[in-house]
């Protein structure tokens, strides 16, 4: 088989941390005196921490000084980390471990490509950190998704051309970043929301057994 590699988004693909982000952001919105709903939280998926705060403040029509913003970014993250520190392997999303096992069996390497600055900690909490040949997280990029930077660095860590990389993503911005990087994009979640992806699945349990050996290989190498 010709060489391909995989890049995984973390939040919403391997673990569901969106629920913890929601609780921490909602607490801040409560403090600032406006309502923050789960629908609002959807807007923050795949978006950096700083950008998330800006979106949240727009929702509440609240203006803050840069100093106050810094203060809330720190307190939100401290609150979020209280949940993360309680996470364990039981929070790995269905199908993720089996998919990594299958990739190991096929000799296909994988890296992480996440906007989260907490990505290494989260992977350690769920005992997956050592399985990745590289981690690209919110600390290693200067441009957030939908900019392709995070995935292009991932391709370098895999020592592969971008067009030989397959990206698993649950966020619109992430699918766009993968497409802009000239990679194969796999949308995990609602097909209508992630309509720009090359392939769509509701979750990782739906990936067919021959997906990498047949479907992806043919798409990449058979022109
Ligand atoms: C992921 C999540 C976003 C989150 C971002 C930054 O992309 O989907 O909702 O805002 O990471 O996370 P961090 O852990 O750095 O605050
Ligand atoms: Mg995500």
């Amino acid at each position: 088989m010709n060489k391909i590699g995989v890049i995984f988004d973390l939040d919403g693909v391997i673990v569901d941390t969106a629920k913890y982000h929601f609780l921490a952001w909602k607490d801040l919105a409560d403090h600032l005196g406006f309502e923050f709903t789960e629908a609002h939280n959807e807007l923050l998926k795949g978006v950096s921490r700083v950008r998330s705060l800006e979106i949240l403040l727009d929702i509440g029509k609240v203006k803050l000084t840069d100093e106050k913003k810094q203060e809330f970014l720190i307190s939100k993250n401290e609150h979020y980390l209280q949940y993360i520190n309680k996470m364990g392997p039981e929070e790995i999303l269905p199908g993720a471990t089996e998919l990594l096992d299958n990739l190991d069996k096929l000799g296909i390497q994988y890296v992480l490509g996440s906007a989260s600055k907490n990505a290494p900690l989260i992977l350690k909490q769920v005992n997956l950190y050592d399985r990745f040949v590289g981690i690209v997280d919110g600390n290693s990029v200067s441009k957030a998704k939908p900019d392709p930077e995070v995935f292009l660095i991932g391709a370098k860590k895999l020592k592969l051309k971008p067009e030989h990389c397959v990206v698993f993503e649950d966020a619109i911005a992430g699918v766009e970043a993968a497409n802009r990087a000239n990679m194969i994009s796999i949308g995990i979640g609602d097909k209508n929301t992630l309509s720009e992806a090359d392939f769509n699945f509701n979750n990782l349990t739906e990936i067919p057994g021959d997906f990498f050996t047949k479907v992806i290989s043919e798409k990449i190498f058979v022109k």
Side-chain angles (χ1 to χ4, degrees):
M1 197 167 100
N2 283 300
K3 232 179 148 201
I4 60 170
V6 176
I7 307 179
F8 285 99
D9 173 48
L10 177 63
D11 298 327
V13 173
I14 292 180
V15 288
D16 175 22
T17 43
K19 58 187 179 206
Y20 302 136
H21 281 296
F22 174 65
L23 293 171
W25 285 127
K26 189 176 165 10
D27 191 60
L28 175 59
D30 287 348
H31 173 78
L32 293 170
F34 63 90
E35 202 190 352
F36 181 73
T37 64
E38 298 222 24
H40 289 140
N41 197 51
E42 286 298 308
L43 303 172
L44 309 187
K45 285 192 176 170
V47 172
S48 73
R49 193 182 309 168
V50 172
R51 183 76 194 113
S52 295
L53 177 64
E54 284 167 7
I55 295 172
L56 181 115
L57 295 176
D58 280 350
I59 291 167
K61 298 189 177 53
V62 173
K63 292 234 175 302
L64 293 178
T65 61
D66 286 350
E67 215 176 15
K68 266 282 168 210
K69 284 184 195 169
Q70 276 310 317
E71 192 185 299
F72 287 138
L73 283 171
I74 292 169
S75 60
K76 181 268 169 181
N77 196 51
E78 281 171 354
H79 185 180
Y80 174 69
L81 287 178
Q82 288 177 11
Y83 299 109
I84 299 308
N85 284 321
K86 289 189 202 126
M87 282 181 87
E90 69 286 352
E91 291 198 50
I92 297 173
L93 285 171
T97 305
E98 293 78 1
L99 178 55
L100 298 187
D101 289 347
N102 191 29
L103 291 172
D104 288 347
K105 228 182 287 161
L106 294 169
I108 298 174
Q109 292 193 317
Y110 41 89
V111 296
L112 195 83
S114 167
S116 171
K117 294 188 172 179
N118 296 304
L121 170 67
I122 296 168
L123 282 182
K124 282 178 192 156
Q125 287 293 120
V126 300
N127 285 346
L128 289 179
Y129 183 82
D130 294 330
R131 297 188 68 164
F132 288 78
V133 295
I135 309 273
V136 191
D137 63 18
N139 303 296
S140 13
V141 293
S142 56
K143 287 169 262 163
K145 299 171 189 174
D147 190 282
E149 184 186 18
V150 59
F151 296 140
L152 292 173
I153 301 175
K156 282 207 183 109
K157 288 198 187 270
L158 287 165
K159 301 191 179 69
L160 289 173
K161 292 186 197 158
E163 54 268 38
H164 291 180
C165 296
V166 180
V167 175
F168 284 82
E169 255 295 346
D170 73 314
I172 300 170
V175 168
E176 187 184 332
N179 292 342
R180 280 169 62 181
N182 204 16
M183 298 177 177
I184 306 276
S185 54
I186 319 281
I188 300 299
D190 181 50
K191 191 179 165 54
N192 297 320
T193 310
L194 304 174
S195 58
E196 296 299 313
D198 293 309
F199 295 91
N200 292 88
F201 299 100
N202 288 310
N203 58 60
L204 296 181
T205 65
E206 290 184 359
I207 314 289
D210 64 355
F211 190 62
F212 294 100
T213 49
K214 196 163 183 312
V215 186
I216 291 290
S217 284
E218 282 177 7
K219 185 161 173 72
I220 294 181
F221 299 109
V222 183
K223 298 282 176 200

